[in-house]
């Protein structure tokens, strides 16, 4: 009974694509455990790249996040290599590219599988993702539910819209980008570090707190609305 059922599943393209997505994530996870990067040569490589170093930083950072490398590690490393402001800026650009790539792969390989099988509460949850605004994405990004790349893949499997997801992903990354880039810069050159360069992080934290508070109020109002407008 199990073998024929498994064969029927494997004939479904959505199952094969979703299995490919899980395999990709498993391989990335294995690579994180096995690969040992040569960090000592990174400064010399940046010097050799010259004007092309910022572009390389964005592209390499995006690929690392897509490969499930924690965004925190990338931000600290880029802060050490490019300074607090440059490191934060290149990391945010890389986060935008990585979010787009992860979302696209998740949508292509996992959306059909999820849409065909979600029922009950999972279907309502999928509908919630479909209705999410930028504030909703920011809130999910700030929750400790998974790494940056993993959340991007997961969002792609839902009915979430692309534009709010990308904007929310970048905005949610702003405070920690400046903060961790500052940490990396301080470790690399403690004598030359200027704490004024991390001032944008404080504004990012305040903006994030305001956005999350407004989103929570709107969600509570949305939940109360059906009861308030219900007929007597």
């Amino acid at each position: 009974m199990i073998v024929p059922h498994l064969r029927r599943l494997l004939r479904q393209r959505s199952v094969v694509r979703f299995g490919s997505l899980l395999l990709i994530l498993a391989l990335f996870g294995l690579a994180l455990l096995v690969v040992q990067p040569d960090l000592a040569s990174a400064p010399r490589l940046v010097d050799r790249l010259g004007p092309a170093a910022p572009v390389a930083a964005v592209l390499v950072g995006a690929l690392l996040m897509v490969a499930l490398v924690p965004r925190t590690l990338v931000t600290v490393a880029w802060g050490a290599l490019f300074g607090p402001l440059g490191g934060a800026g290149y990391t945010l650009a890389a986060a935008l590219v990585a979010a787009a790539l992860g979302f696209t792969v998740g949508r292509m390989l996992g959306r059909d599988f999820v849409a065909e099988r979600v029922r009950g509460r999972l279907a309502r949850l999928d509908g919630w993702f479909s209705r999410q605004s930028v504030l909703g994405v920011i809130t999910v990004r700030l929750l400790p539910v998974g790494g940056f790349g993993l959340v991007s893949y997961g969002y792609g499997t839902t009915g979430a819209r692309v534009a709010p997801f990308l904007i929310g992903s970048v905005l949610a990354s702003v405070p920690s980008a400046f903060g961790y880039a500052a940490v990396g810069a301080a470790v690399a050159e403690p004598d030359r570090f200027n704490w004024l360069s991390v001032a944008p992080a404080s504004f990012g934290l305040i903006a994030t707190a305001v956005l999350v508070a407004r989103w929570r109020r709107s969600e509570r109002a949305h939940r109360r609305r059906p009861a308030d407008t219900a007929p007597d």
Side-chain angles (χ1 to χ4, degrees):
M1 294 292 294
I2 297 178
V3 173
H5 180 67
L6 181 60
R7 288 177 178 173
R8 285 196 299 271
L9 284 177
L10 292 178
R11 293 193 191 103
Q12 300 177 24
R13 296 182 61 184
S14 62
V15 174
V16 175
R17 289 197 296 267
F18 188 72
S20 301
L21 177 60
L22 295 180
L23 178 61
I24 290 172
L25 296 179
L27 291 176
F28 283 152
L30 180 62
L32 289 179
L33 298 175
V34 176
V35 177
Q36 299 292 330
D38 183 13
L39 299 179
S41 61
R44 295 192 297 273
L45 179 59
V46 170
D47 291 338
R48 286 200 298 268
L49 288 173
V55 177
V58 173
L59 295 179
V60 172
L63 292 177
L64 289 174
M65 294 182 207
V66 168
L68 304 185
V69 174
R71 183 175 56 85
T72 300
L73 297 180
V74 175
T75 308
V76 171
W78 270 213
L81 292 173
F82 300 101
L85 297 182
Y90 302 151
T91 301
L92 289 174
L96 176 62
V97 176
L101 290 175
F103 186 94
T104 301
V105 173
R107 180 60 54 90
M108 292 175 59
L109 298 181
R111 176 56 186 162
D112 289 343
F113 179 88
V114 172
E116 292 169 0
R117 288 163 177 81
V118 293
R119 300 289 186 276
R121 291 183 178 180
L122 290 178
R124 291 195 293 273
L125 179 63
D126 186 66
W128 179 79
F129 278 106
S130 301
R131 298 188 302 272
Q132 261 192 352
S133 63
V134 171
L135 298 181
V137 176
I138 291 175
T139 303
V140 173
R141 281 291 193 189
L142 294 177
L143 295 174
V145 294
F148 188 89
L150 193 60
V151 171
S152 299
Y153 289 116
Y155 255 94
T157 66
T158 70
R161 293 169 295 159
V162 178
F165 170 72
L166 294 180
I167 296 171
S169 295
V170 174
L171 291 179
S173 303
V174 169
S176 59
F178 284 98
Y180 286 115
V183 171
V187 171
E189 295 184 280
D191 296 333
R192 297 179 56 188
F193 182 71
N194 182 2
W195 284 102
L196 293 176
S197 61
V198 302
S202 61
F203 295 107
L205 287 171
I206 295 172
T208 300
V210 172
L211 289 173
V212 171
R214 291 185 59 186
W215 175 80
R216 288 179 176 174
R217 285 199 299 269
S218 66
E219 284 295 307
R220 286 196 294 267
H222 177 75
R223 287 195 295 267
R224 288 196 300 267
R225 193 172 299 119
D228 296 339
T229 57
D232 296 334

